[in-house]
Structure formats: C-alpha cells, structure tokens
Amino acid sequence: MTIAISRKERFCSIHLHAPVYVFLILLLCRPLGSHAGFNPRRLVVSATYPVKYRDWQSGFLSGNGKMGIIVFGNPLNETVIYNDRKFNLAKTGDRSFAQVSPSDLAKIKSYCAGGNFAEANKLAVSSAQYKGGGEGNKHPGYEMLISIPSAGTVTNYSRTCNFRTGEITVRWSDNRGAWVRKSFVSRKDNVVIQYLTAPDKGKLTCAVQLATDPEMLFPEGMSFINSSDAGFLNMRAKYPNGTPGAGYEGVTRVIVSGGSEKMDGNVLHVTDARSVMLLTRTDKYYEDCESQWDKKILQKQLEQIPADYNRLLEGQIATHGAIYDRVHLDLNAGSADRERSNEDLLAGQKQSSLPVSALWERIFDAGRYYFLSSGSETAPPDLLGIWTGDCNAGWGGYYHLDANLNLQIAGGNIGNMPEAMEGYFKLNEDWRPDFALNAQKLLGYLGLLACGNTPGPTTGLMANINDYYPYQYATGEEPWLLYPFWEHYLVTGDRKFLKDRLYPLLKEMGYFYEDFLSHEDANGHYIFAGSVSPENQPSNLKVSLLNNSAFDISGAKFALTALVRACKVLGLESGAGEGVERWTRILDKIPPYLINADGALQEWAWPGLKDNYNHRHSSQLLMVWPYGEVTPENAPVFFGAAAKTLERKDAFNYENAGHGLLHSALIATGLKNNVSVYSKLMRLFKEDFYYNNLCTSHYGEHGVFCTDVCNAVPAIMMEMLISSAPGVLELLPALPPELEKGEISGVKGRNRVTVQTLKWDLKGNFLQCVLRSDIDQNITLIERRGIHSIRTGASVKPSSLGEIARIIHLKQGVETSVAIKLR
C-alpha cells in the first residue's frame, strides 16, 4: 500500500496493490487556512461498508439541517437514503389535556406543601386527563439504488467525507479504469447533489431507481407511488388513513451528459454517458398531498438550480465551509497517527489508558461537522441529528427537552456557529404559543411551560403525563431552554436580539413565577409546591412530584436573574412597583439549596428526601453548568457540596447513557475536575459509543443510534480548555494532564472575547493566548495552577484572587497576546 499526499489540495489518496475487495474510508477535515502552526488533518478509516441495509448507521452522512443523506458506498450497487427534517409519521390527532380546575390545582399545591406527595402526584396525573397524539416517529423517506455492471475485480477502493464541504466521494478501479462518484447536501442551495462520472478509460453505464426497503419498517397502510420519468425521478408517499391526506415526496432532476437515457418501468437506464448529475429535494405536505404532487413544485424549483457541480460546491464551501472553519483543535498528535484509520484509532484507544490524541482531534472535528450538518436556520438537531434508516427511532427521534437537546447544542454559541443556533432559537419561538397554553391549562398561570418532548416545530403541547413523570411540574425545563439565548447575548452583546427575542420570553417567565410561587415555608422562603427533578425520585420515596427540586430552583434563579439584568440593560420595567422590583423580591425569597448528610448538594431542597445518586440525569447541578451560578469564587460552600454530589454520582455508571456522561462531564468542567472529565471522555471513546464513521449511539456497544454524544463532545473539550463569564476568562480549567500539549483557536467567550488562539505546554509550564475583545474591558484572567509570570503588551494589575489571576485590560478590536509562565 502507498499513500500519496497532495499538499495543494490537502487531500490524502490511498492506493492498494492487491486484487482484494477491500476499501479504505477517508474522512478529510478542512484546510487550516491561517492556522499555520497546525498540520492538515487527513482522516483515514479502514472498514467494511454497510453490506446489509440494517447496518445503515455505518453509512457516511451529509446534511444541511433540512435534508440529509446516508451513503453506503458500495461501488457497483450503491444505496443512498434520503432524510428530511419534516419526516415524522403523520398525526391522526393532537396531544390533548384538560383545563385543570382551580380547586384541583389548589389541592395539588396544598398536598405538596404539606408533604402529602403521593396524593399530589395522583391528582396531578388524573386531573390533567392527558391523551397522546401528535406526529409519530422520525422516519426515512426512501432510497436510491444505483447499479453499475461489473467489469473485472474492484480495486483501489476508497470513500471519503470532507468535513469542510460535506462531500462524500466514492472511488474505485476496475477494467474500465478509475471511477469517482460524489455527493453532498448543499447548505446554500438546499439541494442534494450527486455526481456520477465515467471511468477514465470508458463510459458510464448505470441504472438508477427510487425504492423503499422492507427494513425501513414503514407502518401498515402507508402507500408509495413511483412517478418517475427520464427527466425527473419522483417517489411519492402517503401516510395511512386517519390524516387529512398527509404525505411527502422526493424529486430528483436528472442531467445526463453524453450517451443516452431511457426508462424501463421505474428504472432509469443510462448508457455510455460522460456524467450524470442528480439534484434532489424532498418535502412533506400536511394535507391533501395529491394536489401538492400535481403542482410539481419541486420539479420547478430544481429546474432553477444550475447543473454545475463546481459552482454548487463553491457555494457549499462559502457557507458550510466558512462556518466549520472557525474553530480548530490540535492536540499535538503525530503525523503518522493522523494517517491511521478510525477503526485503528478506536481500537488503540480501547487498549490504552492514555489519550490517542489523533482520535480525540478527529472526534472533535467530526462533532462539529455533524452538529453543523444537522442544524439549520429553521431547526436544530434532534435525537437523530437528521438521519435515520428506519422508522424504529429510539424515543421517537424527538426533541427531548430535559437534557438531550440542551446538550446537543451546548457548543453552538462558544463554537461560533450562530447559523446553526438560529434554528434552535426559531424552534423555541415556534413553541411559544403551545408552551403558554401548557402553563395556562395545566397549572392555571401565565407564562411558559415546556413540554418534555416534541417531534418538532409542529407542536409544543405537553408530552406524556404519567405517574412516573408528571411533566407539567418540571418548571425548570423552560429556563434551561432559554439559557442558550442568554449565552448568545453574552457572546455577542447583541442588544436587538436581547430586546426582540429573549426579553419577551424571559418576561413570560417573570409572570409565571409571580403566579406559581405562592406558598411559603416557616422561614419565609417560597415553596416550589409541585416540583420535579427530571426522571428521578428520592431513594426513600418512589414518587416524582415533590417540592423544591434543585433543577426547578436553579432554573427560576437563572430566568429571573437574567430577566432583571436584561431590564437594566434595556432600561425597562425599572420604576417603582414595576417588574425589576417585583422579580427581585421573588429572587430574595427563592429557597436556598440544601447540603445533605453526605456533604453533597441535595437534589430536593426539602427535609426527609434522600438523594438517589445512581441515575443518568444530573439535574441537581445545573447551577454549576450551564448556569455558572456556583463557582469557587462566588459560592465556595455550595461549590464544595456540588463537587461531593459529582463524586457520589461518579461512583455509579450513569446507567451507561450517553447524555448522562455528557452532562456530568460538562458539570465536571465547571467544577474544575479534570479527572472526572477525562474518565467520562475515555468511557465514551472506549465503550463503542462511536461508530466507525464517528457518529454515535445513545448507549455503549452501539446501542440505539443517537447524535447526543458526537454533537456534544466538542462542547466538553472547549469547556475543559476555556471557561468564561462576563468579566472572567479562565484558561485550562479542567484540562486532563494527559493532554500535556496542544492548541485551540476561535472559541467565543461569554464576555465578548474571542480566544483566537490558546497554546499550552504543561511539561514546560507555559501557555500563550491571543485575545480579541469586541469592547474595551477589564478581564480577570484565571489559571488555577498559579501564574508565576505574565508577559503582554496590555495593562496588567493584580487580582484579589491572588496568584491564580490577573486583571488584564483589553482594547476593542485589538489582538492582545498573553504569555504565562505557570507555577
């Protein structure tokens, strides 16, 4: 085998000198642009492509957040699955629940305040009269099958995915010469582009058809109509009876260069062509799909797309590539390791207690790629990102709002991907009317009440209410959903965003807490009478509806604090008796967190409720991450108690759930616990959460396809390297010492500072960074190993924090270099 590297194209090609049917998968990361200190990443994977349909999880993935494709990569018998953000099984009715009577609501609160939790839980469930409904599971649309006649042994096989473009390339050779087949999903043009070219010693002859596979597991009664012709391949689908005629379709425009084409039934036969370009769009129609099909809307749209592969690729580089390029991580991996296959690196990590740096780099890059490819300006990733090969999606493939969605988008703001975060903001705004209805009907109040889970923008109505999880009392969900809005404001300083988009939502929460918090304890603190800690119960009481969950308390403190701060920035609600005065008065009466007999921060701030540490969720520690309320400086006692909670939870396994490891790892970054961060990342990288394409599963051993892990891991890595808050920038807060040397660039701080580069060398006790602030400001720069000396052109003053910190003055728009010698 020989490997040839083209520095000009930053592309790695592999040549096999053996007549064996083996292939290599190459995942190519972006060119590094101005980051001259970094070596190009060439991601090489040796694996077996999906032979059986059921192994679709190992296919290569491309997407733009609206549409996605799964490319298997079989050279002569290709399978491509089409996905669409809107593809959920159609609803036959809406979720529904009762208008709970004031007397029942009063009884529930009274039961809770009096400690009669079982009766409160029972009444909360029965009075809601919940009935399921709404859209069903995520599902694939259909597949395209591309067949090419055999001509000798297939050799020199490779498939590549360029993270910078989303371009999937399949290469091979046979008696006709070298073949190339390419595909990607354009962010700029919102179209799936597939480009088949003739071999260098012959012509392209192939058959193309749209189909479905039995292992897609479509429900009984779903019908498909193939309405293809030589100009447009067209698969139409109609959902089972009971919907108002809901269906969907996919249309592929066919452009053949040279040769001839003809239809034989539903199969397009191309003979002796130079190339075939396939341009595809999909869409869903929520009613009367037949009349929508007849309008041929997609066909007309596709006719306007230029049939120029290079031009379309340039548009993709200018959009997807420009976003992807903004942040880069280098962990000082060796050049030889960077040429190793994904499988080789994953196998090597299983055998090593030390990080395989090339794998860690590649996982970071893959996570950013999958997050960007499954998010758009209209919607963020769901549990599946945007990809699935069958209808048997875990947990429906929905948006789950008590951890999963929150974790998937955790790196979006600090990772400088506002284009992908826009979909998150829009989706939450779409949910607002239903969230208001949830609060009004189920709790009798103004404000917003999040719904637990939802298939997408079509509904924010409350999800399943049952004895184990009375969702309507998880009042901390909506504050957690609003935190990324606040984080966006902290990163950008965008007052218009604050006023027009976040403030109205925060104000709704102000109204909510004015209504909801009515009962007081003997100390004059409000009681969250009716409170849930997501999916957990005390170890000594198998009831979910309780009082004062730390989840709900911390959410209320965040929402009200952000609301008051927003009012002060915007000059609103500041008069006597107005909002700032009222909401500040509520904040003053929020119950304090409690510390239990273990010295740990208690999950329910209510006497007699014992913690259950053996659980996948870490909802009691949101005040550490993401809210940043509890730090060593501003709440040292609770910081120590939170650290003890994490220690006790770390003694268990988080039920082997990916989101459990992710959230607790992010909390560990806030607790400056590099040992805990490292152990969780190693579990994720060792225990088969990652497929060979570096997408992920919900459980280890490839259990249930889910993009929580791949999309959230970059956030963990950024947070362990850079922690930020208004006026504060902390370097290497939770860096595992095993990663003794490296560099990261482009991370955004929650203080309008961009860390343009951060280099560290723990062995040399040295770090260097270049900072750029959007405004003139003083920043407290923290490095907890201790600052022996500091060299910079900026003004530097001592900090009250002592040897771990200095106050540095940053000027607007000026790149400030800072070199630190560590103690």
Side-chain angles (χ1 to χ4, degrees):
M1 182 178 76
T2 62
I3 301 178
I5 306 298
S6 168
R7 294 185 182 276
K8 181 178 179 181
E9 297 180 0
R10 300 182 190 277
F11 192 90
C12 177
S13 62
I14 310 296
H15 306 284
L16 291 177
H17 303 302
V20 292
Y21 198 5
V22 175
F23 71 86
L24 295 172
I25 306 167
L26 292 74
L27 294 179
L28 298 188
C29 197
R30 60 179 174 85
L32 300 179
S34 62
H35 304 296
F38 296 137
N39 292 321
R41 301 275 249 292
R42 309 166 190 99
L43 308 185
V44 186
V45 184
S46 173
T48 303
Y49 59 74
V51 175
K52 297 180 180 178
Y53 183 88
R54 68 174 66 97
D55 298 323
W56 59 264
Q57 299 91 339
S58 297
F60 268 23
L61 313 177
S62 185
N64 64 4
K66 299 175 182 177
M67 296 185 294
I69 56 173
I70 305 173
V71 178
F72 282 31
N74 188 318
L76 303 182
N77 293 285
E78 179 66 282
T79 300
V80 179
I81 302 171
Y82 295 88
N83 294 119
D84 190 293
R85 174 63 63 205
K86 299 176 183 177
F87 284 177
N88 286 82
L89 296 174
K91 67 180 181 180
T92 57
D94 289 316
R95 295 174 174 180
S96 66
F97 41 84
Q99 174 71 60
V100 182
S101 70
S103 61
D104 280 343
L105 291 170
K107 286 180 183 178
I108 292 167
K109 297 198 81 169
S110 180
Y111 284 148
C112 283
N116 191 352
F117 300 124
E119 286 299 317
N121 200 100
K122 181 179 178 181
L123 183 56
V125 174
S126 63
S127 62
Q129 300 178 39
Y130 179 83
K131 294 181 181 179
E135 291 185 301
N137 283 17
K138 295 288 292 186
H139 66 79
Y142 56 93
E143 65 182 351
M144 176 183 286
L145 304 177
I146 303 172
S147 61
I148 296 173
S150 177
T153 303
V154 170
T155 60
N156 299 330
Y157 182 99
S158 70
R159 62 175 176 163
T160 69
C161 179
N162 185 325
F163 289 167
R164 189 169 185 258
T165 64
E167 189 181 26
I168 299 169
T169 305
V170 180
R171 300 173 185 269
W172 74 97
S173 297
D174 61 16
N175 292 349
R176 293 160 291 195
W179 292 78
V180 179
R181 183 168 63 235
K182 298 181 179 182
S183 55
F184 68 93
V185 185
S186 170
R187 194 174 194 91
K188 179 179 182 294
D189 295 294
N190 190 33
V191 64
V192 179
I193 298 141
Q194 295 163 264
Y195 191 42
L196 292 65
T197 55
D200 58 359
K201 298 178 182 179
K203 298 293 185 178
L204 170 62
T205 295
C206 65
V208 183
Q209 64 175 312
L210 305 183
T212 62
D213 191 284
E215 292 192 15
M216 289 180 168
L217 305 177
F218 285 112
E220 185 177 352
M222 196 157 177
S223 59
F224 295 88
I225 302 171
N226 194 321
S227 185
S228 299
D229 57 44
F232 292 94
L233 306 181
N234 185 193
M235 177 63 80
R236 300 171 173 180
K238 188 173 182 180
Y239 294 102
N241 292 336
T243 80
Y248 63 89
E249 68 175 329
V251 176
T252 298
R253 177 186 167 198
V254 181
I255 304 101
V256 177
S257 177
S260 62
E261 67 270 16
K262 67 175 183 178
M263 294 297 296
D264 181 4
N266 293 321
V267 181
L268 172 67
H269 291 273
V270 176
T271 304
D272 292 339
R274 291 190 300 273
S275 67
V276 176
M277 180 172 285
L278 305 170
L279 303 177
T280 302
R281 274 190 183 160
T282 54
D283 205 358
K284 180 176 178 177
Y285 311 114
Y286 293 91
E287 57 185 23
D288 196 14
C289 63
E290 290 97 336
S291 67
Q292 298 297 323
W293 296 337
D294 292 342
K295 293 177 183 178
K296 297 187 180 296
I297 296 171
L298 296 183
Q299 287 87 337
K300 294 173 184 176
Q301 292 175 353
L302 289 169
E303 286 178 334
Q304 304 304 310
I305 303 293
D308 183 333
Y309 187 85
N310 289 333
R311 179 178 170 185
L312 293 167
L313 184 60
E314 287 172 1
Q316 176 75 341
I317 294 170
T319 50
H320 173 106
I323 301 166
Y324 178 81
D325 281 348
R326 292 174 189 153
V327 175
H328 179 70
L329 176 68
D330 186 312
L331 295 176
N332 201 40
S335 58
D337 279 349
R338 286 177 177 162
E339 304 300 344
R340 292 166 61 190
S341 70
N342 278 4
E343 289 118 324
D344 190 22
L345 291 174
L346 286 165
Q349 188 63 88
K350 288 183 180 182
Q351 302 302 316
S352 177
S353 61
L354 296 175
V356 177
S357 297
L359 176 66
W360 289 47
E361 290 173 347
R362 202 172 297 176
I363 281 174
F364 181 87
D365 293 337
R368 282 179 58 79
Y369 169 72
Y370 287 127
F371 174 68
L372 178 59
S373 298
S374 56
S376 72
E377 73 277 9
T378 60
D382 54 35
L383 279 183
L384 308 176
I386 195 171
W387 303 281
T388 185
D390 60 52
C391 299
N392 190 27
W395 304 277
Y398 288 180
Y399 292 101
H400 287 252
L401 310 184
D402 60 6
N404 307 82
L405 175 59
N406 322 67
L407 296 171
Q408 289 219 29
I409 58 91
N413 286 324
I414 61 175
N416 200 6
M417 288 187 170
E419 297 86 349
M421 288 301 296
E422 174 58 28
Y424 176 84
F425 302 139
K426 184 180 185 304
L427 187 61
N428 277 268
E429 291 166 334
D430 290 343
W431 288 332
R432 181 180 176 181
D434 282 351
F435 284 8
L437 187 64
N438 294 338
Q440 187 270 319
K441 291 186 68 174
L442 291 168
L443 297 182
Y445 304 134
L446 296 175
L448 303 176
L449 180 65
C451 65
N453 67 63
T454 169
T458 57
T459 184
L461 295 175
M462 186 59 63
N464 189 24
I465 295 173
N466 56 53
D467 287 336
Y468 177 65
Y469 201 170
Y471 267 109
Q472 72 270 40
Y473 284 93
T475 59
E477 276 190 1
E478 178 62 6
W480 195 359
L481 290 173
L482 293 183
Y483 174 78
F485 285 75
W486 180 248
E487 184 181 56
H488 175 84
Y489 167 69
L490 296 180
V491 165
T492 65
D494 186 343
R495 289 169 62 101
K496 187 177 189 303
F497 179 92
L498 178 66
K499 181 180 180 180
D500 295 345
R501 303 188 71 177
L502 176 54
Y503 172 69
L505 300 173
L506 288 173
K507 191 173 182 180
E508 293 274 12
M509 296 310 298
Y511 295 150
F512 175 80
Y513 289 114
E514 287 184 71
D515 284 350
F516 180 71
L517 295 173
S518 56
H519 288 61
E520 298 181 10
D521 63 19
N523 297 314
H525 294 121
Y526 284 123
I527 302 172
F528 283 72
S531 184
V532 166
S533 193
E535 303 178 37
N536 201 6
Q537 298 174 333
S539 61
N540 63 331
L541 182 64
K542 298 306 178 186
V543 176
S544 297
L545 188 58
L546 305 160
N547 292 335
N548 292 3
S549 75
F551 175 78
D552 289 339
I553 292 172
S554 63
K557 292 179 75 173
F558 159 70
L560 291 168
T561 300
L563 174 57
V564 169
R565 290 177 181 171
C567 287
K568 291 179 178 179
V569 169
L570 299 171
L572 300 172
E573 293 282 347
S574 298
E578 291 192 277
V580 169
E581 182 178 300
R582 299 195 312 272
W583 299 321
T584 300
R585 189 162 54 241
I586 295 174
L587 276 167
D588 291 340
K589 296 177 67 174
I590 294 288
Y593 305 118
L594 297 184
I595 298 174
N596 65 21
D598 299 325
L601 196 146
Q602 198 163 304
E603 190 156 0
W604 297 270
W606 193 258
L609 301 179
K610 295 185 178 181
D611 285 83
N612 173 27
Y613 301 115
N614 185 14
H615 196 267
R616 58 195 174 277
H617 282 266
S618 296
S619 306
Q620 68 269 53
L621 295 179
L622 262 68
M623 73 291 293
V624 176
W625 189 95
Y627 299 141
E629 173 196 348
V630 170
T631 71
E633 285 69 47
N634 62 18
V637 174
F638 287 128
F639 184 87
K644 177 60 71 171
T645 299
L646 182 68
E647 176 188 317
R648 295 302 298 265
K649 288 183 70 65
D650 280 357
F652 299 95
N653 65 2
Y654 295 90
E655 300 179 78
N656 298 315
H659 71 78
L661 295 170
L662 295 167
H663 192 196
S664 58
L666 285 161
I667 290 165
T669 67
L671 292 171
K672 326 301 177 187
N673 188 336
N674 55 11
V675 173
S676 183
V677 172
Y678 185 64
S679 68
K680 292 173 176 59
L681 289 176
M682 288 293 272
R683 281 198 64 192
L684 293 170
F685 301 165
K686 281 174 171 281
E687 296 180 9
D688 286 333
F689 283 89
Y690 280 84
Y691 299 101
N692 291 334
N693 58 11
L694 297 187
C695 204
T696 52
S697 56
H698 183 274
Y699 296 110
E701 299 181 357
H702 300 153
V704 188
F705 180 85
C706 177
T707 54
D708 284 358
V709 172
C710 61
N711 285 356
V713 160
I716 298 171
M717 293 185 174
M718 287 185 283
E719 294 276 27
M720 78 185 186
L721 296 172
I722 299 166
S723 176
S724 61
V728 177
L729 187 68
E730 183 170 351
L731 305 178
L732 311 183
L735 175 67
E738 293 84 356
L739 301 173
E740 67 175 30
K741 193 173 184 180
E743 180 174 356
I744 193 167
S745 64
V747 175
K748 291 287 187 178
R750 303 176 185 94
N751 45 28
R752 303 189 67 182
V753 173
T754 301
V755 180
Q756 293 190 290
T757 64
L758 169 62
K759 299 179 181 180
W760 69 92
D761 182 347
L762 298 185
K763 191 173 181 179
N765 286 326
F766 174 81
L767 64 83
Q768 182 177 5
C769 61
V770 177
L771 309 177
R772 188 183 187 279
S773 176
D774 293 341
I775 55 173
D776 287 354
Q777 62 173 318
N778 288 327
I779 286 285
T780 297
L781 191 67
I782 299 175
E783 215 306 325
R784 294 187 187 276
R785 293 165 183 80
I787 298 173
H788 179 271
S789 62
I790 188 167
R791 187 176 72 252
T792 179
S795 171
V796 180
K797 295 180 180 180
S799 166
S800 61
L801 301 180
E803 67 177 16
I804 68 169
R806 300 288 190 275
I807 298 174
I808 297 182
H809 182 71
L810 301 178
K811 294 182 179 180
Q812 179 181 357
V814 175
E815 293 186 357
T816 301
S817 180
V818 181
I820 296 174
K821 182 71 174 178
L822 302 175
R823 292 187 180 275

